[in-house]
Amino acid sequence: MKALVLSGGAGTRLRPITHTSAKQLVPVANKAVLFYGLESIAAAGITDVGVIVGDTAAEIQDAVGDGSKFGLEITYIPQERPLGLAHAVLIARDYLGDDDFVMYLGDNFIVGGITDLVEEFRGNRPAAQILLTRVQDPRSFGVAELDDAGQVIGLEEKPEHPKSDLALVGVYLFTPAIHDAVRAITPSWRGELEITHAIQHLIDARADVRCTVIKGYWKDTGNVTDMLEVNRTVLEGLARRIDGDVDDASETVGRVVVEEGARIVNSRIVGPAVVGTGTVVEDSYVGPFTSIAENCRITDSELEFSIVLRDSSIDGVGRIESSLIGRHVEVTPAPSVPSAHRLVLGDHSKVQIHT
């Protein structure tokens, strides 16, 4: 069995971070989202992995390498443009051959991994097996309709009027039957080859399509809000570890990780939180659910429920919350300017100004 990991896509919902970085490499608890997926694949006993890459191919390849650090053998498959999930299957045909495979969206996060799902699929070998979860607003997802027996009878991609609240999670398992299906469909109104259409083709052909409704935690980390929520979830599982230097004037409370080479000076860190290698926190407060990557500097500031990427500095700006701060960023106070009001008023105006 092989895996196909999708790591193309522009990541428009995470801009401006993704103007200069692949969305799959934005860190959660100081580890790229993509790495959690690769580790889950390896834990499920799959070693051969094809990675679909696009405009950020060089960055993905530099971060993942040949896959050996994950116990995997990686083959990179270029995709000129993100033309849909089914298109990714189409261009990976030669790599996948006649093997069963799991397709994993590289910006998705599933607590608990996929080992049980893969074992279930291997035991039953349906033509396709999909993961579903209940969501509040299914209009942004692929949506499944089930019959009274829990069998999949229909799929829709981002429907205006969803027939259920069951959204497709970004993990799919297929036998080679999917290859005929992706060749049989045509592009949707979005100009993409939708994997929901390909699976619907299997359903219409009376192939065995099964589903598993998961109750565990799943997130598509495609926007800042979801990224911060995933970061919070991962940090909740931290075990306390202080490998860096914490001076006598500082305090660390709860599940705090201070990596080797980090320094905490006259500051208070309240977990769960992680401070990366080479980072200095001085005269500051770092609150729960905060990840600070390597080689950052936090001075005379407060930071909570946020992610700070590597080589960034925050100096003397008071309190920051619910923020995603990119690489090589400098956050400093604005210069003081005289307070004044500039007015252009017509005749007979009445203006009230707070002084």
Side-chain angles (χ1 to χ4, degrees):
M1 190 171 187
K2 292 177 179 174
L4 186 66
V5 177
L6 275 58
S7 296
T12 55
R13 292 179 294 160
L14 272 175
R15 287 177 179 168
I17 298 293
T18 49
H19 280 308
T20 54
S21 180
K23 64 178 179 176
Q24 297 84 5
L25 296 181
V26 176
V28 168
N30 286 3
K31 182 166 66 176
V33 171
L34 175 61
F35 291 2
Y36 291 97
L38 293 176
E39 289 170 354
S40 293
I41 289 167
I46 299 170
T47 56
D48 294 328
V49 180
V51 178
I52 301 289
V53 290
D55 292 340
T56 59
E59 188 182 12
I60 297 288
Q61 291 180 42
D62 184 61
V64 176
D66 63 2
S68 57
K69 62 184 176 183
F70 304 99
L72 303 172
E73 295 183 12
I74 300 289
T75 299
Y76 293 99
I77 304 168
Q79 185 181 36
E80 290 186 5
R81 288 189 297 147
L83 296 175
L85 305 188
H87 181 260
V89 176
L90 192 67
I91 64 173
R93 180 67 176 94
D94 289 343
Y95 170 75
L96 294 169
D98 292 327
D99 292 315
D100 296 347
F101 67 98
V102 55
M103 183 168 74
Y104 197 116
L105 306 194
D107 59 351
N108 275 225
F109 184 88
I110 300 175
V111 170
I114 60 170
T115 299
D116 291 344
L117 177 73
V118 170
E119 290 178 355
E120 180 184 351
F121 177 81
R122 281 172 165 157
N124 298 317
R125 287 200 76 235
Q129 186 163 344
I130 58 177
L131 263 67
L132 304 174
T133 192
R134 299 191 183 277
V135 297
Q136 287 188 336
D137 185 2
R139 291 176 298 176
S140 299
F141 303 94
V143 176
E145 181 183 4
L146 308 185
D147 63 17
D148 293 339
Q151 296 297 309
V152 184
I153 58 174
L155 298 172
E156 293 182 281
E157 186 64 33
K158 297 179 173 61
E160 182 64 28
H161 303 288
K163 295 180 180 178
S164 80
D165 62 352
L166 291 169
L168 276 77
V169 175
V171 177
Y172 309 78
L173 296 108
F174 298 115
T175 67
I178 193 64
H179 296 301
D180 289 337
V182 298
R183 287 196 298 268
I185 62 174
T186 57
S188 67
W189 62 270
R190 300 192 303 166
E192 297 186 2
L193 290 176
E194 310 285 2
I195 198 66
T196 47
H197 292 178
I199 299 171
Q200 184 66 53
H201 181 84
L202 292 175
I203 295 171
D204 293 341
R206 300 189 180 280
D208 186 7
V209 176
R210 302 188 184 187
C211 67
T212 300
V213 180
I214 63 172
K215 297 180 180 179
Y217 188 85
W218 163 79
K219 278 289 185 183
D220 170 3
T221 60
N223 61 53
V224 173
T225 299
D226 287 341
M227 184 67 70
L228 292 173
E229 280 297 316
V230 171
N231 191 62
R232 178 188 62 78
T233 299
V234 176
L235 289 176
E236 284 179 338
L238 276 185
R240 180 180 173 86
R241 178 166 51 86
I242 309 296
D243 294 334
D245 296 326
V246 180
D247 72 1
D248 292 339
S250 298
E251 181 183 19
T252 59
V253 180
R255 291 165 291 169
V256 173
V257 171
V258 179
E259 298 286 2
E260 185 176 356
R263 292 195 299 122
I264 312 300
V265 181
N266 193 36
S267 297
R268 189 167 191 258
I269 316 293
V270 178
V274 58
V275 179
T277 299
T279 286
V280 177
V281 179
E282 186 170 4
D283 299 325
S284 296
Y285 166 79
V286 175
F289 311 122
T290 301
S291 298
I292 306 172
E294 64 271 21
N295 301 321
C296 294
R297 188 171 187 93
I298 313 298
T299 308
D300 192 25
S301 301
E302 297 184 4
L303 187 63
E304 189 166 310
F305 191 54
S306 295
I307 300 172
V308 182
L309 276 61
R310 60 180 172 85
D311 301 304
S312 291
S313 64
I314 299 172
D315 184 9
V317 295
R319 187 174 181 85
I320 294 175
E321 292 182 355
S322 305
S323 298
L324 175 57
I325 297 171
R327 301 173 297 179
H328 300 281
V329 170
E330 296 181 8
V331 183
T332 58
S336 299
V337 296
S339 178
H341 303 283
R342 181 176 182 271
L343 306 175
V344 179
L345 303 174
D347 297 344
H348 310 293
S349 296
K350 292 183 179 181
V351 179
Q352 293 179 326
I353 296 177
H354 289 286
T355 59

